[in-house]
Amino acid sequence: DTGVSQDPRHKITKRGQNVTFRCDPISEHNRLYWYRQTLGQGPEFLTYFQNEAQLEKSRLLSDRFSAERPKGSFSTLEIQRTEQGDSAMYLCASSRGRDEKLFFGSGTQLSVL
Amino acid sequence: QQQVKQSPQSLIVQKGGISIINCAYENTAFDYFPWYQQFPGKGPALLIAIRPDVSEKKEGRFTISFNKSAKQFSLHIMDSQPGDSATYFCAARKETSGSRLTFGEGTQLTVNP
């Protein structure tokens, strides 16, 4: 396993701009998750995919947020019209199945100025 | 609504001492309770996990104690080392949630040499 890879590691943007993050899960992991973590808090669930199907979305995922996993491999998370409150670490995780260990990437740190 | 409450917020322990972190949960539907360790700039990594059908699980220096009736569980780190200095998160998952984890607020552990 090469681990969960996230790109970019850091992103600074101005309020109102759109940003997109990429996550490459561990190969053959069919489940992929997005979490958001703010300073001093635990990660909060955003959404998850089983293969290419998005099966659950948190109410935290406003209509400005969209996630895709087009071929059941990598995933993208897009935030449109960013707000200062979107500043956080966006974490991606993957697992082989529901009862399998969850592996997290190192995250993308977003700063909205 | 904070479904998993963690304490203390920070903890300072001398090398060789025992670190104890506590969590309490509200939802009796939770069926899986992992602990994660996070170093600065990294994603959380699974340390140890327990299911409610056992009261204790030990892996090396790490032990989870689980009290189903009190809806509490704790992490004990024996012979704490400076390398254990990190943020620790408890989490919980509901059987019907599709692997969605609910995290506690985190405990910043510092082990002094």
Side-chain angles (χ1 to χ4, degrees), chain B residues 37-107:
Chain B
Q37 179 189 57
Q38 186 175 30
F39 293 103
K42 298 291 186 182
L46 179 66
L47 262 182
I48 186 172
I50 198 168
R51 296 183 187 277
D53 53 346
V54 297
S55 60
E56 186 175 282
K57 183 174 182 180
K58 182 176 181 180
E59 289 183 2
R61 297 185 293 111
F62 301 94
T63 300
I64 299 180
S65 296
F66 186 82
N67 186 329
K68 188 174 181 179
S69 61
K71 294 189 287 186
Q72 295 175 346
F73 58 110
S74 60
L75 176 69
H76 296 234
I77 306 175
M78 311 300 287
D79 187 26
S80 299
Q81 298 296 312
D84 296 330
S85 297
T87 302
Y88 292 80
F89 294 95
C90 61
R93 183 194 69 191
K94 286 189 287 187
E95 183 176 1
T96 57
S97 71
S99 289
R100 168 185 188 157
L101 290 172
T102 299
F103 284 83
E105 303 98 323
T107 296

Side-chain angles (χ1 to χ4, degrees), chain A residues 9 31 33 35 37 40-43 45 48 56-59 89 91 95 97-99 101-102 104-106, chain B residues 1 31-32 36 38 41-46 51 89 93-101 103-106:
Chain A
R9 290 295 313 277
R31 289 192 173 216
Y33 306 80
Y35 283 80
Q37 185 176 25
Q41 298 295 315
F45 171 83
Y48 96 93
E56 189 176 351
K57 292 193 290 186
S58 164
R59 65 180 184 279
M89 173 79 82
L91 291 163
S95 70
R98 179 181 181 272
D99 290 329
K101 179 177 176 178
L102 205 59
F104 281 87
S106 293
Chain B
Q1 181 184 5
D31 68 342
Y32 173 72
Y36 282 81
Q38 186 175 30
K42 298 291 186 182
L46 179 66
R51 296 183 187 277
F89 294 95
R93 183 194 69 191
K94 286 189 287 187
E95 183 176 1
T96 57
S97 71
S99 289
R100 168 185 188 157
L101 290 172
F103 284 83
E105 303 98 323

Side-chain angles (χ1 to χ4, degrees), chain A residues 6-13 19-21 88-89 106-111, chain B residues 41:
Chain A
Q6 291 189 245
D7 182 69
R9 290 295 313 277
H10 304 274
K11 179 70 177 179
I12 300 174
T13 191
V19 295
T20 300
F21 311 139
M89 173 79 82
S106 293
T108 293
Q109 182 66 53
L110 172 66
S111 297

Side-chain angles (χ1 to χ4, degrees), chain A residues 7-8 11 18-22 75-79 108:
Chain A
D7 182 69
K11 179 70 177 179
N18 299 343
V19 295
T20 300
F21 311 139
R22 178 181 170 119
S75 176
T76 57
L77 178 67
E78 181 183 17
I79 309 175
T108 293

